[in-house]
Amino acid sequence: MPRMTMIEAIRSAMDVTMERDDNVVVFGEDVGYFGGVFRCTAGLQQKYGRTRCFDAPISELGIVGAAIGMASYGLRPCVEVQFADYVYPAYDQIVSEAARLRYRSNGQFTCPIVIRMPTGGGIFGGQTHSQSPEALFTHVSGLKVVVPSNPYDAKGLLVAAIEDPDPVIFLEPKRLYNGPFDGHHDRPVTAWSKHPLGEAPDGHYTVPLAKAEVRREGSAVTVLAYGTMVHVAQAAADDTGIDAEVIDLRTLLPLDLDTIVASVKKTRRCVVVHEATLTSGFGAELTALVQEHCFFHLEAPIARVAGWDTPYPHAQEWDYFPGPKRVGEALVEVMEA
C-alpha cells in the first residue's frame, strides 16, 4: 500500500472524486495553476482543466456564496479557504445559507459542498494564521465538522465529505501536513512515510463520518482529542506512563457519543484536549456530555487542556500550544483526584 503525506492524501481524495463524478469542482484562492498555498491541489487543473479546478478572487464570501449556488444546481464544489483564520467573511453564507438550505426548502434542495481549511498552529503563523475555529461551526445545525489526524483518515473522510449531500466543514491541521507532531517541538519530526497511518490506498475508499476511533487503548483515563492533539495526547500518555485511552474524535458534528461514553464508563476518568481557546471551546461541549452521560461512573472531575484565552502568539508559540507537558499534568491530576 502506498504511503502519503496528509497533503498527498487530501489531493488524492479530490482526484478520486473528480475522476468518478464530473459534478465535483475544486476552486479557491491560488488552488488552480499554483496548486494551493500548501500544494494540496497541485496538478488537478492540469489534469481536469480550468473549468473543474480554478482560481477565485480574494473573497471568501464570494467563494462560499458561489459554491452554494453551484450546489443548488447539482454540482459538488470542494472549495478551499486558504487559512481557517480567513473564513469569517464567509461565515454568514455558511450559517445562513449552506446550513439552512435543506431545512428552509423542506428537503427540496440540499447543499453538497465541502469547505476545506488549514487550521491550528505550530508553524509560527502568529495570530492570523493559527486559529482553530471549529467551535463556531459545531454550534450550527445543518453542518458537519470534520478534523482528521492522519493521511489515511484525511483521504477517506474527505471522499466521504465530498460525496455527502450536506455541507461539510473540513479542517486540516496544518502542523500534520508533512508528518505526525507530538508536541515535542525540540525533537525531530517523524515523516508520514515511516508512520503506519501514512499508508493510504490509491483508489476510492471512505472513512465514515460521525465515527470516532480509539487510537490508544487504556484502562486508567479517557483522553478525548482530535487533529494534532491526538498525537500530543499519545505522547503525554507515553511520557507519564499512565494507561490512557486516547480517542480520536475525527468528526465533531455529528459526534460519536457512544464511543466516548463506553470509554469513560470503563476508565471512570476523562481529560479533554484541544488547541483552540479554552472559553466556549468545543471541549466545553465534550465535558458537558461526559458529565451528563457518565456522572455516576466518574471518580474524578473532568479536566480540560486547551489554548489560552488570548490571540495566538508568535514569539511564545510553545507556551500557548497545549503540549505533552500540560496534557501530562492533567493526566496526573485526574489520577490523583
Side-chain angles (χ1 to χ4, degrees):
M1 186 181 296
R3 291 179 178 269
M4 304 180 184
T5 66
M6 190 179 284
I7 290 172
E8 293 167 336
I10 289 165
R11 182 190 307 140
S12 181
M14 288 184 279
D15 187 10
V16 166
T17 52
M18 292 176 80
E19 191 169 52
R20 286 167 61 95
D21 186 352
D22 289 342
N23 288 320
V24 177
V25 295
V26 172
F27 65 98
E29 297 162 12
D30 297 322
V31 307
Y33 176 81
F34 185 66
V37 67
F38 291 102
R39 319 305 287 172
C40 289
T41 57
L44 295 181
Q45 185 177 89
Q46 289 84 344
K47 183 173 182 179
Y48 296 101
R50 289 185 293 176
T51 60
R52 299 277 311 280
C53 179
F54 53 90
D55 295 321
I58 303 175
S59 171
E60 290 74 23
L61 183 153
I63 291 168
V64 175
I68 294 168
M70 290 176 174
S72 301
Y73 279 88
L75 297 178
R76 289 183 173 271
C78 179
V79 302
E80 178 181 307
V81 171
Q82 201 166 76
F83 288 87
D85 313 61
Y86 301 160
V87 75
Y88 303 113
Y91 192 69
D92 179 52
Q93 289 287 340
I94 295 169
V95 173
S96 301
E97 304 298 336
R100 306 288 188 244
L101 190 58
R102 177 188 286 273
Y103 182 86
R104 71 190 294 184
S105 69
N106 195 28
Q108 295 182 73
F109 291 91
T110 61
C111 193
I113 70 172
V114 175
I115 303 172
R116 294 180 41 249
M117 293 182 274
T119 187
I123 65 163
F124 296 101
Q127 63 179 352
T128 58
H129 295 79
S130 305
Q131 296 174 55
S132 299
E134 62 271 9
L136 298 178
F137 301 105
T138 59
H139 186 66
V140 181
S141 300
L143 297 179
K144 294 182 175 71
V145 181
V146 177
V147 189
S149 69
N150 59 79
Y152 180 88
D153 281 357
K155 179 176 178 178
L157 288 166
L158 183 53
V159 172
I162 293 172
E163 294 177 348
D164 195 272
D166 292 301
V168 180
I169 306 298
F170 198 88
L171 296 164
E172 302 163 6
K174 64 179 81 73
R175 194 59 179 80
L176 300 182
Y177 270 149
N178 290 301
F181 181 63
D182 63 5
H184 290 293
H185 61 277
D186 52 347
R187 300 180 186 177
V189 175
T190 301
W192 282 119
S193 62
K194 298 180 180 179
H195 193 282
L197 290 173
E199 293 186 348
D202 275 330
H204 178 277
Y205 72 92
T206 61
V207 172
L209 305 182
K211 181 61 180 173
E213 182 75 11
V214 178
R215 293 290 172 206
R216 184 185 194 276
E217 293 190 356
S219 60
V221 55
T222 296
V223 183
L224 305 180
Y226 49 92
T228 305
M229 292 300 114
V230 173
H231 304 279
V232 172
Q234 289 176 302
D238 293 339
D239 291 349
T240 59
I242 292 174
D243 188 23
E245 181 153 288
V246 178
I247 295 179
D248 181 353
L249 298 178
R250 301 198 293 194
T251 302
L252 307 187
L253 186 70
L255 185 68
D256 182 1
L257 187 58
D258 290 343
T259 297
I260 294 171
V261 170
S263 178
V264 175
K265 285 184 175 180
K266 177 180 71 173
T267 65
R268 296 178 176 271
R269 291 174 170 83
C270 184
V271 173
V272 176
V273 187
H274 61 67
E275 191 177 341
T277 50
L278 178 71
T279 301
S280 299
F282 188 62
E285 176 67 17
L286 293 171
T287 301
L289 287 169
V290 171
Q291 179 80 355
E292 178 183 350
H293 293 273
C294 305
F295 178 77
F296 293 106
H297 296 266
L298 289 169
E299 295 184 0
I302 303 162
R304 281 191 291 163
V305 184
W308 306 115
D309 287 339
T310 69
Y312 210 116
H314 184 274
Q316 293 84 31
E317 177 147 26
W318 302 120
D319 293 324
Y320 182 97
F321 191 90
K325 181 177 182 293
R326 285 173 57 195
V327 178
E329 290 170 351
L331 292 174
V332 171
E333 177 186 331
V334 298
M335 293 304 299
E336 293 179 349

